[in-house]
Amino acid sequence: MGYAQLVIGPAGSGKSTYCSSLYQHCETIGRSIHIVNLDPAAENFDYPVAMDIRELINLDDVMEELGLGPNGGLIYCMEHLEDNLDDWLNEELDNYLDDDYLVFDCPGQIELFSHVPMLRNFVEHLKRKNFNVCAVYLLDSQFVTDVTKYISGCMASLSAMVQLELPHINILSKMDLVTNKREVEKYLDPEPHHLLSELNERMAPKFKKLNKSLIELVDEYSMVSFIPLDLRKESSIQYILAQIDNCIQYGEDADVKIRDFDENDDDE
């Protein structure tokens, strides 16, 4: 059985930085992971790229040859990846062992994981290849400065969770760049009625029923929970990795190692 993280989130939320920090952390503790680039527009990497979608298709080439813009070109690239799951992706995956750990660094175009089927079909293919997969959704903590932005982030994350149908970990990234941490920390695990009260204060009275429905929806899906990520702290990465490992049952099927010993010495 293989293991995989699907790292998703809006553009600029710190997905590639997270992948780089995760790789460095695992290298430090002597653990092997492989980072996969799924962004056909990516240029520079701070980690070794184990697999690269640009070997299959490149966004610049698509835009030049088909006359598409960045968004349309990216959708075309991902559709091309979907058409080549049985060929290119299978050939790449064959290079890895059954218990290897892959981290897929995805593009930041939000519709790819909210309502178009390409990434969902990609995930289903990984499952058929016997991978346990977890979605890791990153949201920039500097974006979460008030309740309206927080609810917006929650709804985007919820949309991805429903679309992908995967175990889901939500991360507030870039906590090391936040100047007023108290303003952000109150949204890590807030009480729904506090959110509703704050939302009603900021919105016109005619939106009260809508606000109540939004808060109930977020609460019912147990979505009101984010894990802060501070890249300055090794313990922060370690904690998040432990949460993800638990989601995908990493290492639970590993053989128990029994240390040999000398029975004679034991008798003594």
Side-chain angles (χ1 to χ4, degrees):
M1 178 175 291
Y3 305 92
Q5 293 183 30
L6 195 72
V7 183
I8 58 177
S13 58
K15 296 183 294 296
S16 294
T17 303
Y18 162 80
C19 290
S20 175
S21 299
L22 184 64
Y23 180 85
Q24 292 172 14
H25 171 75
C26 289
E27 191 175 40
T28 300
I29 64 175
R31 176 169 162 180
S32 175
I33 66 169
H34 308 279
I35 313 293
V36 180
N37 173 46
L38 284 187
D39 187 354
E43 295 179 353
N44 301 311
F45 302 96
D46 292 328
Y47 54 78
V49 181
M51 294 163 49
D52 194 343
I53 190 177
R54 297 176 305 169
E55 295 176 359
L56 174 69
I57 191 167
N58 185 285
L59 179 61
D60 290 337
D61 295 339
V62 169
M63 292 171 60
E64 182 179 346
E65 293 177 15
L66 300 180
L68 296 173
N71 290 338
L74 188 54
I75 294 290
Y76 181 90
C77 290
M78 300 309 290
E79 288 177 341
H80 186 71
L81 171 63
E82 183 182 7
D83 293 337
N84 285 272
L85 294 178
D86 292 326
D87 299 319
W88 179 80
L89 184 61
N90 279 355
E91 185 178 337
E92 293 290 331
L93 291 176
D94 287 342
N95 295 323
Y96 299 94
L97 302 174
D98 290 341
D99 59 347
D100 275 337
Y101 198 113
L102 304 181
V103 179
F104 293 91
D105 187 1
C106 298
Q109 195 170 1
I110 195 167
E111 56 261 43
L112 291 175
F113 43 83
S114 62
H115 61 270
V116 294
M118 279 87 81
L119 274 185
R120 185 181 63 199
N121 294 337
F122 179 84
V123 166
E124 291 301 320
H125 187 83
L126 288 179
K127 290 180 180 178
R128 289 194 295 270
K129 297 291 287 184
N130 205 27
F131 275 85
N132 278 0
V133 189
C134 174
V136 180
Y137 186 93
L138 271 70
L139 185 66
D140 189 343
S141 57
Q142 298 175 100
F143 175 81
V144 186
T145 54
D146 60 55
V147 66
T148 54
K149 292 179 180 179
Y150 172 78
I151 294 299
S152 174
C154 276
M155 296 307 295
S157 178
L158 176 58
S159 178
M161 185 178 77
V162 172
Q163 171 77 359
L164 296 174
E165 297 181 344
L166 286 174
H168 204 85
I169 296 289
N170 295 300
I171 295 175
L172 278 184
S173 62
K174 304 184 182 180
M175 284 294 290
D176 48 310
L177 302 179
V178 174
T179 53
N180 188 354
K181 285 187 168 52
R182 288 187 178 180
E183 285 297 313
V184 174
E185 287 173 350
K186 67 180 182 181
Y187 293 116
L188 293 180
D189 195 16
E191 290 293 332
H193 64 275
H194 289 160
L195 289 177
L196 181 58
S197 175
E198 192 175 344
L199 198 57
N200 285 335
E201 288 177 4
R202 289 179 172 268
M203 306 283 284
K206 64 180 180 181
F207 292 115
K208 282 191 174 182
K209 287 185 178 180
L210 175 62
N211 293 341
K212 185 173 183 293
S213 297
L214 285 173
I215 297 299
E216 287 176 350
L217 177 64
V218 170
D219 185 42
E220 286 172 6
Y221 275 85
S222 300
M223 275 293 301
V224 191
S225 179
F226 283 83
I227 302 174
L229 173 60
D230 188 337
L231 294 179
R232 296 172 302 181
K233 301 177 181 177
E234 198 75 13
S235 58
S236 182
I237 279 268
Q238 185 177 1
Y239 178 77
I240 286 173
L241 183 58
Q243 296 297 310
I244 297 168
D245 288 346
N246 184 57
C247 280
I248 58 179
Q249 300 175 314
Y250 174 74
E252 290 188 8
D253 59 345
D255 293 333
V256 177
K257 295 181 179 180
I258 302 175
R259 183 179 177 181
D260 293 329
F261 61 93
D262 191 331
E263 291 186 1
N264 293 331
D265 291 343
D266 186 65
D267 292 336
E268 292 175 2

